[in-house]
Amino acid sequence: AHITEPSLLPIAVVQNAPSAIPLLGLFLLAYGVAFGGYLAFCRSAMPSARVVWCAFALAAVAMIAMPFFPTTDPYAYALYALEAGPLHLNPYVSQPVGAFANGWGPQLAAIFPDPNAYVRYCNYGPFATAGYGLLAIPFAHAPLGAFLYAERIFGALCVAFTGFVLSRTTAGDVVDGSRRAALFILNPLVLFELIAFAHGDALMFALLALAWRGWRLRAYMPAAFFCFAAMATRSVAVVPLALLFVAAVRDKDKRSVLLSPRADVMLGVTLAWGLTIFTCVIMWGWHSLSFGSAPAFNAFSAPLVFLTRTIAPHAGLAFAVTLQAAFGAVVAALLLARWWRKRDSIAPAFLPFAALAGLPTIYPHYLTWVGGVRSVVSDERFARVANVAMLVAPLWYLVKLNVFPFPGPPPAAFVFVLVVTWGTVLVVLRYPAARASGTSSAIEAG
């Protein structure tokens, strides 16, 4: 309904279209089958690393070849890449890209004709923008479709790199490392959202995997550096950065880290990344360090926002959003406080849920944050909660695909998805489960 000329789209966007409902049904069915296989794998003996990586390669090829997007987001990422790379423009300001001779410019301007729409402002941080800008340079004179497939391939490489880093653990931990990698790279939500639908969170996971490895080695300086880099990719990475800060404060053996023989190398790498940030500021201004613009707010897509707007319909949306964000911050603070009091508590693993609880809107790819933690935490209770949350994640396409006729999804649709999403999480939390054998503390499990 928004795009009058489908030929503008080299990869179809199934949104606001009559075909959205049956295709969504098929997608949910395929996802359910894939996730059932994933759960069976989680309970099975660990296959060989060769089998795991061959399975990922086959899945990645299928995701790269997938014939549709459920959102125009990959086209928006192409817009930011075009601005930051070949056109040398500021992607954090709406630009008249249609005026440029580059083949993508008029095409993307026609897809996003409103210069004041929120999608015209980059919603990822400067590291992601710089990465996509560099990726766009060799495709500057290629068709837009070629860059869209390059986005998917880039996502697949980031997912593979994340799995590789997760598998490279301390000596004697090879099997656990391979299992951690498999739990991430074979996760259907990760495969669909980060490869097929080309979301930039894949780069954030690659950086956080490096930060996690630094944490495991008690090397807080590189861990902090990669957390900062991840936060400059996606602002939600402030959560693991806060956890790392609490861990550093609690650690009694900071001298060995600061006086490490590799400290000078760590410092040099940190300074190099600092120079990169400085370059981003020079190129795009200080507002580029806002770590991306706000997502599209909706009066029904978060519990407290919905409740506030229902009880006090005249209250401003900004007030409701602030209330929801404060709730998420309180939940995060309580989880960190619990871990501070009890070091072996699994509370930090639930921090992604605190981030989700503080957001004014939820998109399916946000649940990959839970999947990232699921791959490195061995606690059985958390695993069950994470699995349930990821299983119901695609239900958000009921409202995000705009499968309902104009004027869009009714409040009842949002209520249904909210109740299913958070209700299933709360129900699963009520059932106690014994911890899995092996590493259980949050600082060890990541």
Side-chain angles (χ1 to χ4, degrees), residues 360-386:
T361 185
I362 294 178
Y363 291 86
H365 66 279
Y366 292 2
L367 274 296
T368 58
W369 307 341
V370 177
V373 179
R374 165 71 181 92
S375 64
V376 296
V377 172
S378 59
D379 183 86
E380 181 62 27
R381 191 181 190 189
F382 173 78
R384 289 204 284 179
V385 175

Side-chain angles (χ1 to χ4, degrees), residues 128-327:
T129 304
Y132 277 114
L134 291 174
L135 182 64
I137 291 175
F139 292 91
H141 300 290
L144 176 58
F147 181 74
L148 295 177
Y149 284 108
E151 283 184 333
R152 285 177 164 176
I153 294 172
F154 179 72
L157 292 175
C158 286
V159 170
F161 179 78
T162 301
F164 173 76
V165 174
L166 293 178
S167 69
R168 305 294 292 179
T169 54
T170 53
D173 200 15
V174 175
V175 174
D176 267 0
S178 296
R179 187 173 185 83
R180 275 193 289 271
L183 287 174
F184 184 77
I185 65 175
L186 299 183
N187 187 325
L189 188 66
V190 169
L191 292 170
F192 276 108
E193 297 294 339
L194 303 188
I195 300 178
F197 304 153
H199 291 295
D201 300 60
L203 178 59
M204 178 188 73
F205 277 117
L207 294 168
L208 285 180
L210 293 170
W212 175 81
R213 177 154 175 77
W215 183 341
R216 285 294 299 263
L217 298 176
R218 297 294 195 273
Y220 289 135
M221 188 182 296
F225 148 65
F226 286 117
C227 277
F228 272 114
M231 191 173 68
T233 301
R234 188 96 168 122
S235 56
V236 72
V238 70
V239 174
L241 183 63
L243 182 60
L244 179 66
F245 175 78
V246 174
V249 171
R250 289 191 52 167
D251 199 317
K252 305 299 183 182
D253 190 26
K254 295 189 290 295
R255 273 180 64 86
S256 62
V257 175
L258 296 177
L259 300 181
S260 164
R262 298 182 179 179
D264 53 343
V265 177
M266 297 175 190
L267 182 60
V269 172
T270 304
L271 290 175
W273 280 103
L275 180 61
T276 304
I277 293 178
F278 177 76
T279 303
C280 291
V281 171
I282 294 297
M283 291 175 59
W284 300 318
W286 283 104
H287 54 282
S288 68
L289 298 186
S290 63
F291 310 121
S293 62
F297 292 165
N298 190 289
F300 305 107
S301 54
L304 289 183
V305 174
F306 174 79
L307 188 62
T308 303
R309 300 287 285 178
T310 302
I311 296 175
H314 298 294
L317 183 59
F319 171 76
V321 168
T322 301
L323 189 64
Q324 187 74 53
F327 174 74

